[in-house]
């Protein structure tokens, strides 16, 4: 179903003041399908007019930059999408200080925490998007032993949260996010807001299904080697990297299929193991990164004898396929099997 009320103009309030390195914002500047510039300049047909409020890309500074956030909190801005970058700390255990803040309260002069901004804005936003694994699931800052009690946006707002547009949190994980994955998701939401697209399809972890419905392995250039039981033993090999630490067979991510920029790149495609940076348990569940993943020894062991047999049979067929047919020769007699339909007499 499309949105009930078509929006002609949408603000994007983007905070990266959570526990963040701003890497997702930087990543988005490399998007091409579509590019951020195309969306902001109105060059994508059918989208509402978009106003972006992001500190890294903004011309305004200080109070001038914060004005739109205060207006949104007072219901004076108009429809907006809230984009959250960075993990959410637990401000209930901050002692006498603040884990994070974004601007100051005009009345008290005290810093306003990111948590308070989320409390003020999330339920008023037409959609809420968690960009990057930190915002989606907690990421690096939420590792076991961290002092801040960090969490993802779904942990903070709850799985039952729904935005003013009736949507759950939309998670676009990645460390950093794959640029076109985010821009494609944002574009879908904008088309939905304009009333020209159905409700965005999300999986049980609130990820766009068309982006995260397959595993790294299913789109990997090296996947054929796995099936043949042919594995790399070091990082100089073009073969399957599972034995040297790749988690690709069990990780939901499309980077091997999509590449990183303009279809080029993708971790295993260029020799790097998949460390599961798009997954809810990252990084704790997947460390140490260069060790063979638990359980892979079983699959590798089972595929070894089968793969060796398949490789041998394919080598035989490949050798036969690389031979010219025997009737192609320069001798006096035609041996192609040609049989004239009519005789000469």
């Amino acid at each position: 179903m499309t949105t009930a009320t078509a929006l002609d103009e949408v603000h994007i309030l983007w905070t990266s003041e959570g526990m963040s390195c701003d890497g997702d914002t930087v990543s988005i500047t490399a998007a091409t399908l579509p590019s951020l510039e195309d969306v902001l300049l109105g060059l994508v047909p059918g989208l509402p007019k978009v106003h972006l409020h992001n500190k890294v890309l903004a011309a305004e500074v200080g109070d001038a930059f914060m004005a739109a956030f205060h207006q949104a909190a007072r219901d004076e801005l108009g429809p907006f999408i809230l984009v959250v970058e960075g993990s959410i700390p637990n401000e209930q255990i901050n002692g006498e200080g603040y884990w994070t803040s974004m601007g100051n309260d005009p009345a008290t002069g005290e810093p306003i925490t990111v948590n308070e901004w989320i409390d003020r804005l999330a339920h008023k936003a037409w959609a809420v998007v968690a960009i990057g694994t930190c915002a989606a699931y907690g990421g690096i800052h939420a590792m076991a032993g961290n002092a801040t009690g960090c969490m993802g946006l779904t942990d903070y707002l709850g799985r039952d949260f729904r935005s003013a547009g009736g949507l759950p949190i939309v998670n676009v994980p990645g460390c950093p996010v794959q640029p076109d994955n985010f821009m494609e998701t944002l574009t879908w939401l904008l088309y939905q807001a304009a009333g020209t697209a159905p409700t965005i399809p999300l999986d049980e972890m609130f990820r766009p299904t068309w982006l995260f419905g397959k595993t790294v392995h299913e789109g990997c250039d090296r996947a054929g080697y796995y099936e043949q039981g042919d594995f790399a033993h070091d990082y100089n090999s073009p073969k399957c990297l599972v034995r040297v630490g790749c988690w690709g067979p069990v990780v939901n991510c499309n980077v091997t299929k999509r590449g990183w920029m303009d279809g080029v790149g993708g971790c295993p495609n260029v020799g790097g193991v998949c460390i599961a940076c798009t997954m809810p348990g990252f990084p704790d569940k997947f460390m140490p990164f260069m060790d063979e993943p638990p359980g892979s020894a079983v699959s590798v062991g089972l595929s070894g004898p089968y793969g060796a047999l398949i490789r041998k049979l394919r080598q035989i067929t490949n050798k036969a396929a690389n031979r010219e047919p025997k009737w192609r020769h320069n001798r006096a007699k035609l041996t192609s099997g040609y049989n004239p339909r009519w005789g000469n007499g």
Side-chain angles (χ1 to χ4, degrees):
M1 55 182 280
T2 55
T3 187
T5 304
L7 304 179
D8 297 322
E9 198 165 351
V10 176
H11 291 261
I12 298 176
L13 298 182
W14 186 318
T15 172
S16 59
E17 301 300 339
M19 297 296 189
S20 166
C21 66
D22 291 319
D24 299 302
T25 290
V26 174
S27 178
I28 296 311
T29 62
T32 58
L33 297 169
S35 69
L36 183 61
E37 297 90 334
D38 286 347
V39 171
L40 297 179
L41 292 172
L43 300 180
V44 181
L47 293 188
K49 183 175 178 60
V50 176
H51 305 277
L52 176 66
H53 308 273
N54 174 298
K55 68 173 186 183
V56 176
L57 303 172
E60 305 85 0
V61 297
D63 291 339
F65 172 74
M66 292 305 305
F69 291 83
H70 289 292
Q71 289 169 2
R74 297 192 300 263
D75 295 319
E76 298 172 358
L77 186 67
F80 67 93
I81 293 173
L82 177 64
V83 176
V84 177
E85 178 177 355
S87 49
I88 317 303
N90 183 352
E91 292 288 358
Q92 298 190 53
I93 58 169
N94 63 18
E96 297 179 358
Y98 306 92
W99 293 125
T100 65
S101 65
M102 180 178 167
N104 296 324
D105 190 315
T108 66
E110 291 293 312
I112 303 174
T113 66
V114 167
N115 303 54
E116 189 171 347
W117 278 118
I118 294 171
D119 294 342
R120 292 181 183 183
L121 299 177
H123 67 284
K124 297 182 178 183
W126 186 86
V128 177
V129 183
I131 179 173
T133 298
C134 289
Y137 309 124
I140 297 289
H141 312 92
M143 291 177 68
N146 81 85
T148 59
C150 269
M151 66 198 85
L153 197 58
T154 305
D155 301 312
Y156 184 77
L157 291 174
R159 293 186 62 85
D160 294 331
F161 168 84
R162 294 296 180 271
S163 68
L167 293 171
I169 297 162
V170 178
N171 289 324
V172 192
C175 189
V177 72
Q178 202 281 348
D180 290 321
N181 278 355
F182 176 78
M183 288 306 300
E184 203 169 279
T185 301
L186 180 63
T187 302
W188 186 307
L189 290 171
L190 290 170
Y191 274 124
Q192 185 180 334
T196 57
T199 300
I200 188 168
L202 305 175
D203 66 14
E204 62 180 7
M205 297 305 296
F206 304 133
R207 300 169 294 203
T209 54
W210 78 96
L211 299 176
F212 295 94
K214 301 291 185 182
T215 65
V216 169
H217 183 75
E218 288 169 315
C220 184
D221 291 347
R222 301 166 183 260
Y225 289 104
Y226 184 105
E227 177 233 1
Q228 295 183 167
D230 202 0
F231 299 96
H233 297 283
D234 59 55
Y235 298 100
N236 296 314
S237 172
K239 299 177 181 180
C240 179
L241 296 166
V242 165
R243 300 205 73 166
V244 290
C246 186
W247 283 84
V250 295
V251 168
N252 295 93
C253 180
N254 67 342
V255 73
T256 46
K257 198 76 169 177
R258 168 158 248 170
W260 192 256
M261 291 175 61
D262 284 336
V264 178
C267 310
N269 291 350
V270 294
V273 297
C274 172
I275 60 173
C277 76
T278 59
M279 300 299 280
F282 178 79
D284 302 74
K285 284 185 179 181
F286 307 100
M287 296 170 67
F289 292 135
M290 302 307 174
D291 285 2
E292 185 175 346
S296 66
V298 176
S299 60
V300 166
L302 291 173
S303 67
Y306 164 81
L309 174 63
I310 293 299
R311 281 204 312 278
K312 187 62 178 176
L313 293 174
R314 286 176 176 170
Q315 286 168 4
I316 293 170
T317 305
N318 177 257
K319 187 175 181 180
N322 273 295
R323 285 198 296 264
E324 282 273 20
K326 61 183 180 180
W327 59 82
R328 296 180 184 173
H329 57 75
N330 197 28
R331 298 189 295 274
K333 187 176 181 180
L334 178 65
T335 58
S336 67
Y338 169 72
N339 185 20
R341 186 172 178 183
W342 297 281
N344 295 325

